[in-house]
Amino acid sequence: MYTIKGIIIVISLVYITKALVYIIDKLLKFKDEKIQFNMDVKKESIMNMTGIEFEAFCRWLFEGTGEYRYVEITEARGDGGKDLILIDKNEKKTYVECKRFDSEEKLEKIENKSDIKKLVIGREICQKLVGAMVSNNIDKGIIVTTGEVHKNALNYIEDLKNNSSIDLQIYNMKDILEIMESNKAIGVYEIDVII
């Protein structure tokens, strides 16, 4: 039925597979704080990222600030109203919602203009993130967006500031580019931002 040679091959494959899994796992978790690299980033390339690419980009952006000990991307589905969890050196968590909206050029092609309001950060998006924060006793949140911010979102954030201890901030494209330049200035990486 089974030959000794066949059994040895199967056992060898099992050990080789385990070794490869271990090596791949170590490589995926490897993080060298001193790695530097060069990269050209155009505003248009950020605007044309998919939602998942934009979340990964935001993770990279926050990791580069040096303010956070750990930056975690949440599950794509069922993220509970947050895309990233930032953990600072004091173990304090910040929830981040990443909203990458299409460029103005793509917006102009939308036939149903009422759909455009879905591409703006409004009170509803803020409330969803705040709901996730409150349910997990988190008092700081950030919404990162390539889009516009509606006045009702700004009013909601002002009400939060005046009536609670919740700190909700919105980072737009200008803020994203400033963070990238700041990260470059502290020597995290070399980057040319092209606007």
Side-chain angles (χ1 to χ4, degrees), residues 5-21:
K5 189 176 183 181
I7 293 171
I8 292 173
I9 290 172
V10 169
I11 291 171
S12 297
L13 287 174
V14 168
Y15 281 109
I16 291 171
T17 303
K18 284 183 179 183
L20 286 173
V21 167

Side-chain angles (χ1 to χ4, degrees), residues 134-185:
V134 169
S135 67
N136 291 291
N137 201 26
I138 305 296
D139 60 6
K140 185 172 181 189
I142 301 170
I143 297 172
V144 183
T145 183
T146 58
E148 300 297 319
V149 181
H150 194 278
K151 185 178 179 183
N152 66 12
L154 298 173
N155 291 340
Y156 179 74
I157 291 170
E158 187 64 28
D159 288 344
L160 283 173
K161 183 193 284 187
N162 294 332
N163 300 313
S164 73
S165 63
I166 292 176
D167 177 17
L168 182 60
Q169 301 173 17
I170 297 182
Y171 293 1
N172 60 21
M173 183 58 79
K174 180 179 176 248
D175 299 312
I176 292 168
L177 297 175
E178 286 175 4
I179 292 169
M180 290 169 62
E181 284 296 323
S182 175
N183 290 355
K184 177 183 176 181

Side-chain angles (χ1 to χ4, degrees), residues 93-147:
K93 292 182 181 180
T94 300
Y95 282 180
V96 179
E97 179 68 15
C98 306
K99 291 292 184 190
R100 198 262 337 136
F101 294 129
D102 288 327
S103 63
E104 290 177 25
E105 182 179 298
K106 289 183 180 179
L107 292 178
E108 290 173 3
K109 294 178 183 176
I110 295 177
E111 290 179 26
N112 185 356
K113 296 302 178 191
S114 66
D115 286 342
I116 291 177
K117 69 180 182 181
K118 297 177 187 172
L119 306 176
V120 174
I121 299 297
R123 184 187 71 249
E124 299 83 11
I125 292 172
C126 296
Q127 288 174 324
K128 184 177 177 185
L129 179 58
V130 168
M133 293 164 55
V134 169
S135 67
N136 291 291
N137 201 26
I138 305 296
D139 60 6
K140 185 172 181 189
I142 301 170
I143 297 172
V144 183
T145 183
T146 58

Side-chain angles (χ1 to χ4, degrees), residues 55-64 70-73 84:
E55 289 173 16
F57 169 78
C58 289
R59 177 184 184 177
W60 171 79
L61 192 69
F62 284 110
E63 284 176 340
Y70 185 70
V71 180
E72 174 188 346
I73 295 181
L84 301 177

